[in-house]
């Protein structure tokens, strides 16, 4: 039976450019794919007693089978499980992977470590994508239609089958339901035209776009975007959905919610719901036992219905459990890391400043370093809020020359010496030297530390009048004061220190500057409510994800939207249909960038796509939307000497979801080599 659904897809989220070779049918593996997923061993070996003696499943699951609590593993696996070759050798079952989070808002670390199971998956070297939850994805000639096949016998973590009924439910009754979500993600639409979904049979469906969607395969390899069509287990969620359950409203009220929609989103339609609702069936390798939002530990146990095996046919993952201790302070995390309390970690405390400290404790802590290849254009983007709610501040911030003056006021070499341990180089928010979109002028403009020039520009803008404290005044007589919000517990822990230095530089040219550190959850709320003057974040889109994560180059709705213009990004996401309080139609220049981006997405020819994106970058260079600081070419994480199959260096980017493409499901514990 065939069912067709048309409508407007749901909200937004977080990339390599689709190469022409991606237009081939994806039912088979390419040569590059075989290095990540294959049906053949890759080096193999039974290291540390693993391999043939370990059996077809983990002992903890075999015990449940013996007790009659689980069916045999052959009935729990798909008919065609995904075979993951080990990075180094066949592993052993058992153990607990220990890590840490700062709190409930640190869900991104869980997505990076145990939450990456999209339809497609990035290869470890970030050169392409290969099938993952999808057994195959086959595009037509112009990439306007994709046939997607799920694995027969693939099951949710509670044992219920994953079928196209789940896809249909999620798309028609969640993604398109305007009572549950606002707008639609660009990944499931072509401009203003939503994707068409056609159900072919229990395991096959087709997605059709009104024109070519050249980036769909790479979109389907991203966390959240790539999960969206297989994120809603119908058998569980329909009991809380008003279209299916007459008692959905009463259930919601009994649970303390005003509406069934609020209750439904809390249980199954929130970005971090897999970490907070243990009852929600999952496709991940490890499933929630102790939620992230309660207590001091978040704990996840192996999924007995996980769909991957090693080359011996033994069900993955190897590791029994993943445990995240809630440690709000990065300094405390650092001390615990030195004591050997974490088996893999690469956030919060892994700054350049802390590397020598961690190096001194390697033997005591029993860990090694893993190198990260930075793909960021800059370690700290400074974004002024061009959609500021205050008319006077918005007028100041939208003046390009004001942003240019602030850039010239920054002494980036001082930042490099004092904050980044003499590592790095001054760099604007522009593609890196490794990118095919490299524009030297863009990357190096306005980098000179020239406070005299900054003062001249500010004077010429009419901000020459000052108050008794020496602060420059706006035309309305109020001092120009910039409060910079900083998520102090985010990935980069040096932002507060760096912004305190920048504040001194800006104050030296008469701009009063306040640094406002706060927990990440508060930071996200303030930016979402458009209550900020300015903020800082990493410079994603420097290399590898320029086209698919362009939020610093144009007002784009990916993730939460461009921090420098969230209302313009919301307008792009909703096509102007969002609430007036959250959207604003962009003026001509950013609107032109949006039009070019839409044109690029519909262009099947790769060379022409690149030309269109370069036009977008040309405008970004001319407009100088945001201010860059320092580019550092490498980073690092720590890995327990007992943890194997992690491998060597990895690209580092939120869009790549580092370290997930290193396939943690095949990591295992054993004696140090």
């Amino acid at each position: 039976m065939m069912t067709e659904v048309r409508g407007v897809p749901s909200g937004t989220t977080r990339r390599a450019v689709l190469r022409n070779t991606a237009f081939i049918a994806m039912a088979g593996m390419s040569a590059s794919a075989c290095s990540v997923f294959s049906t053949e061993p890759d080096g193999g070996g039974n290291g540390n007693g693993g391999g043939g003696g370990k059996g077809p499943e983990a002992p903890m699951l075999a015990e449940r089978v013996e007790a009659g609590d689980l069916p045999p593993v052959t009935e729990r696996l798909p008919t065609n499980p995904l075979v993951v070759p080990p990075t180094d050798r066949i592993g052993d079952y058992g153990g607990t992977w220990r890590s840490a989070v700062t709190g409930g808002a640190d869900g991104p670390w869980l997505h990076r470590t145990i939450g990456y199971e999209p339809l497609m998956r990035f290869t470890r070297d970030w050169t392409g994508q290969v099938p993952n939850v999808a057994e195959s994805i086959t595009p037509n000639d112009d990439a306007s239609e994709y046939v997607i096949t799920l694995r027969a016998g693939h099951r949710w973590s509670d044992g219920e089958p994953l079928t196209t009924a789940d896809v249909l439910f999620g798309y028609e009754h969640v993604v398109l339901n305007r009572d549950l979500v606002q707008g639609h993600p660009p990944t499931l639409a072509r401009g203003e035209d939503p994707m068409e979904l056609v159900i072919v049979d229990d395991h096959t469906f087709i997605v059709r776009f009104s024109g070519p969607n050249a980036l769909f395969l790479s979109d389907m390899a991203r966390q959240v975007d790539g999960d969206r069509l297989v994120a809603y287990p119908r058998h569980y969620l329909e009991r809380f959905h008003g279209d299916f359950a007459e008692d959905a409203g009463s259930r919601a009220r009994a649970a303390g919610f005003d509406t069934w929609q609020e209750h439904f989103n809390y249980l199954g339609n929130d970005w971090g719901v897999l970490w907070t609702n243990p009852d929600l069936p999952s496709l991940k390798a490890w499933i929630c036992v102790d939620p992230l939002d309660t207590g001091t530990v978040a704990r996840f146990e192996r999924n007995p219905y996980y769909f991957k095996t090693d080359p011996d046919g033994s069900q993955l993952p190897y590791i029994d459990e993943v445990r995240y201790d809630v440690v709000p302070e990065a300094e405390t995390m650092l001390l615990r890391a030195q004591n050997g309390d974490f088996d893999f970690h690469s956030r919060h405390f892994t700054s350049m400043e802390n590397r020598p400290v961690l190096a001194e404790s390697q033997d005591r802590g029993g860990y090694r370093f893993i190198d990260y290849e930075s793909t960021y254009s800059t370690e700290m983007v400074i974004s002024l809020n061009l959609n500021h709610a205050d008319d006077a501040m918005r007028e100041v911030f939208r003046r390009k020359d004001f942003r240019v003056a602030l850039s010239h006021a920054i002494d980036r070499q001082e930042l490099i010496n004092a904050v980044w341990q003499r590592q790095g180089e001054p760099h604007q928010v522009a593609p890196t030297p490794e990118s095919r979109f490299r524009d030297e002028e863009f990357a190096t403009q306005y980098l000179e530390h020239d406070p005299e020039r900054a003062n001249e520009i500010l004077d010429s803008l009419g901000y020459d009048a000052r108050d008794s404290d020496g602060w420059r005044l706006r035309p309305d007589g109020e001092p120009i004061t910039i409060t910079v919000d900083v998520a102090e517990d985010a990935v980069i822990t040096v932002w507060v220190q760096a912004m305190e230095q920048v504040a001194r530089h800006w104050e030296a040219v008469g701009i009063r500057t306040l640094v406002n550190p706060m927990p990440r959850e508060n930071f996200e709320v303030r930016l979402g409510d458009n209550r900020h003057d300015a903020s800082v974040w990493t410079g994603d889109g420097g290399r590898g994800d320029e086209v698919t994560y362009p939020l610093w180059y144009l007002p784009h709705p990916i993730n939460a939207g461009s921090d420098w213009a969230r209302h313009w990004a919301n307008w792009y996401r909703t096509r102007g249909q969002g609430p007036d309080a959250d959207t604003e139609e962009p003026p001509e220049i950013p609107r032109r960038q949006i039009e070019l981006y839409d044109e690029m997405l519909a262009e099947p020819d790769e060379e022409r796509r690149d030309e269109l994106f370069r036009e977008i970058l040309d405008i970004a260079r001319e407009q100088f939307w945001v201010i860059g600081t320092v580019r550092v070419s490498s980073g690092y994480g720590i890995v327990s000497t007992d943890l194997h199959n992690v491998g060597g260096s990895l690209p580092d980017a939120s869009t790549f979801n580092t370290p997930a493409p290193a396939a943690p499901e095949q990591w295992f514990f054993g004696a140090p080599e």
Side-chain angles (χ1 to χ4, degrees), residues 15-34:
R15 316 176 175 152
V17 178
L18 180 64
R19 312 301 294 186
N20 283 341
T21 54
F23 288 111
I24 63 171
M26 296 298 292
M29 300 292 182
S30 66
S32 63
C34 292

Side-chain angles (χ1 to χ4, degrees), residues 283-606:
L283 301 177
K284 315 300 183 186
W286 295 274
I287 55 177
C288 183
V289 176
D290 295 320
L292 176 62
D293 59 349
T294 60
T296 59
V297 175
R299 192 166 60 88
F300 300 81
E301 287 185 353
R302 64 168 65 253
N303 176 358
Y305 292 90
Y306 192 57
F307 65 105
K308 300 179 187 179
T309 72
D310 69 11
D312 283 348
S314 298
Q315 186 184 35
L316 296 173
Y318 288 136
I319 296 173
D320 286 338
E321 177 184 88
V322 186
R323 173 191 173 109
Y324 300 87
D325 289 346
V326 178
V327 185
E329 300 295 332
E331 294 81 1
T332 305
M333 270 196 207
L334 174 62
L335 292 173
R336 293 194 55 184
Q338 291 176 271
N339 289 332
D341 289 350
F342 306 135
D343 298 302
F344 184 100
H345 207 90
S346 58
R347 280 168 73 90
H348 310 104
F349 58 82
T350 52
S351 64
M352 298 305 296
E353 180 182 22
N354 287 339
R355 183 157 185 160
V357 177
L358 287 163
E360 291 177 359
S361 303
Q362 274 186 269
D363 291 341
R364 172 165 61 91
Y367 55 82
R368 67 177 178 88
F369 289 109
I370 180 172
D371 291 328
Y372 279 0
E373 306 156 11
S374 177
T375 63
Y376 299 122
S377 63
T378 179
E379 293 295 300
M380 187 176 77
V381 180
I382 304 173
S383 301
L384 303 183
N385 182 5
L386 305 194
N387 296 156
H388 204 294
D390 182 277
D391 291 343
M393 290 300 289
R394 184 168 64 249
E395 180 181 351
V396 172
F397 290 168
R398 286 193 185 183
R399 303 181 78 170
K400 171 191 171 181
D401 283 346
F402 181 79
R403 302 191 294 274
V404 170
L406 293 187
S407 185
H408 278 307
I410 299 172
D411 186 343
R412 290 171 175 82
Q413 192 58 50
E414 181 180 281
L415 294 180
I416 292 169
N417 295 342
V419 180
W420 275 282
Q421 303 300 299
R422 301 184 183 277
Q423 302 293 314
E425 61 178 347
H427 203 277
Q428 292 292 3
V429 184
T432 69
E434 299 83 4
S435 170
R436 71 180 187 277
F437 296 106
R438 177 67 170 181
D439 179 335
E440 195 69 20
E441 179 185 351
F442 192 3
T444 59
Q445 64 182 352
Y446 316 128
L447 289 176
E448 300 82 8
H449 177 224
D450 191 344
E452 181 177 349
R453 175 63 180 146
N455 276 312
E456 290 175 354
I457 294 172
L458 293 170
D459 287 346
S460 70
L461 292 173
Y463 307 134
D464 50 333
R466 302 190 184 219
D467 65 11
S468 58
D469 294 319
W471 304 127
R472 293 179 180 275
L473 301 177
R474 304 180 322 208
D476 62 3
E478 293 294 320
I480 301 174
T481 301
I482 303 175
T483 299
V484 184
D485 291 346
V486 183
E488 60 181 337
D489 57 359
V491 184
I492 307 297
T493 58
V494 297
W495 284 339
V496 173
Q497 181 186 357
M499 268 313 306
E500 287 174 346
Q501 301 271 11
V502 172
R504 288 194 301 100
H505 303 157
W506 287 356
E507 292 191 337
V509 296
I511 303 299
R512 184 168 180 257
T513 308
L514 305 175
V515 180
N516 186 30
M518 65 187 69
R520 179 168 179 167
E521 46 264 54
N522 296 4
F523 175 86
E524 296 290 354
V525 169
R526 276 182 60 82
L527 267 62
D529 290 345
N530 199 39
R531 290 188 283 149
H532 64 297
D533 294 339
S535 62
V536 300
W537 202 255
T538 47
D540 302 83
R543 185 257 293 184
D545 55 351
E546 306 95 321
V547 172
T548 55
Y549 203 77
L551 79 173
W552 303 122
Y553 304 134
L554 76 153
H556 196 281
I558 196 147
N559 190 17
S562 300
D563 291 348
W564 54 278
R566 286 205 173 185
H567 280 195
W568 290 347
N570 286 341
W571 182 93
Y572 187 12
R573 174 170 58 85
T574 65
R575 301 293 164 169
Q577 301 305 306
D580 291 341
D582 297 331
T583 62
E584 177 186 342
E585 183 172 355
E588 179 181 357
I589 293 175
R591 179 71 179 267
R592 175 59 181 156
Q593 288 187 296
I594 290 171
E595 292 169 353
L596 287 168
Y597 196 79
D598 282 342
E599 184 180 349
M600 182 202 72
L601 292 177
E603 175 56 60
D605 181 73
E606 183 180 28

